[in-house]
Amino acid sequence: MRPGRTPRSSFDDFDAGNGDNPNNPKRSHLWVRVVVGLVTAALLASGGGWTWWMWDTRWRPIDVTVDSGTGAETVRTHVGVTVDVLLERNGSFGRMPGRLLAIDGSELKADGGGSVKVTVDGTDVPHGLWSDTVVPEHAAVTVANGDDVTEEHTVRHDTVAFGTDDVDLTGVIQRFRQAGRNGEREVWVGKESGIEVDKGLTEQPVEMIVESVTPRPAGRKVIALTFDDGPSQYSAPVLDVLKEKKVKATFFDLGEQSLAWPDAEKRMVAEGHQVASHSNTHPNMPDLDADALRAEITDGFANLKAASGVETTAFRSPYGAFGVKQWEAAGDLIGMNVLWDIDTRDWSMPGANAIHDAVMKDAHNGAIVLMHDGGGDRSQTVEALPRIIDDLRKQGYEFVTIDQLIKLSGK
C-alpha cells in the first residue's frame, strides 16, 4: 500500500520557524520588551520633569531680607515658603505676641494679646493669612512684636450722692437755697479679671445749700411772738388779746388741727397774722422714713391751705428736729424751717408768771418767742400774754411776724 501523506498538525503554529504566526511565543516576548522599554523611557522623562518642577517651586534656595527691629538680615530659605513656615523655622525672629492686659493695665496673660505683626514688601499680612501667603524671592519682610490687648469690660454707672457741706443749721431760721442733685460715676469692670476701674464722673453732683439766718434788724428793737400746735379752743382767746393790743404774730399750725378749726385759721389770716405749717400730725420727723416724711410735710401744707386759703412753704418742725437727713429727703418741699431763741416752756404749765418772766429775761432784738395755742391746756399762756406784750412795749419793742422780721433784717 502506498503510504499516504501525513496531514498538517494544528501544532505546526508553534513551530519555532513559523515567524509569521502571531501565537509564536518568541513574538509575544518581543512585544513585552517593547512596552516595558517605552514605559521606562516615559518614566525617566517624566521623573526628570517632576524633579525640575519640585526644584523650581519647592526646593530651590532663595534669600529674603528680614528686619525684626534690630537691623536687617539676609535669611536663606526656599522658594514657595509661606509666612507661617518662615516664622516657625526662625523662632519668629525673636518677636513675641502682645500681652492680654486687665483694664487697670496689669498683665493677665503674657501671650494673650495680638499676634506677631508681619509685612511682606510693605503689605501687612494678617495672622489668618500667614499659611496662604508665599514669601517672594528677595522679599523685604518685617517682623514686630504683637500689640497688647486690653480685656473686654462691662460699664456700670454708680450714683454719686450730692454733698451737704453747705447745709448750715446753726441759725434760728434755716432757709432752703438749692436742691441737691446726685451725680453719676462710670465704672469699668473687666470681664476676665473682675477688676473695677473708676473712669470718673459722667454727671457732676450738685451740692444742697441751706443757709442759716439769725435776724438782728439794725437800729430796731423787734420781737416775733409765735404760737404752735393750734388751732384749738385757745386760739380765739389768743387772737382776742392780739387784736386788743394791736400785735401781729405767727401761728405754726398742724394740718389736722387746721381742718378741725377752719374758722380760727380764716380769722388769723383776716386779722393780718402769718400762718405757717407745723407738719400735719406732729410726729418726730427723724423717726420717719423719706416717704413718710415727705407725706407729712405735703399733707400739712395742703390741709393748711384748705382751711386758710394760704399757700406757704414756711415751716416749723415739731420739737425743732430737722437735721441734715431730713433736709436731704424733703428740703425741696419747704422754704424755711423756723426755730426759736426764747422758749417759754408754756406746754409744761409752769404758771403765767413763769411764762411772762421767761420772755422778759431773754428778750432781745430779733428774738423769736415760742408759745402754744394748742396741744393741751393753754389757759396760762392766754393769761400771761397781755402782760408780756405790755412789758415788751415799755422796753421799746415792736412786734413783727416772721416774714416781717426777715425783711427788716435784710436777709
Side-chain angles (χ1 to χ4, degrees), residues 114-136:
S115 65
V116 170
K117 294 185 288 186
V118 178
T119 68
V120 176
D121 290 335
T123 300
D124 292 335
V125 182
H127 181 265
L129 297 180
W130 284 2
S131 61
D132 298 324
T133 302
V134 174
V135 180

Side-chain angles (χ1 to χ4, degrees), residues 145-159:
N145 288 329
D147 292 328
D148 291 341
V149 174
T150 301
E151 65 176 323
E152 293 185 357
H153 64 275
T154 57
V155 178
R156 191 180 73 228
H157 293 94
D158 293 345
T159 297

Side-chain angles (χ1 to χ4, degrees), residues 31 131-132 177 223 230 289 303 309 332:
W31 279 109
S131 61
D132 298 324
R177 280 293 177 253
I223 196 165
D289 63 28
N303 289 337
D332 57 311

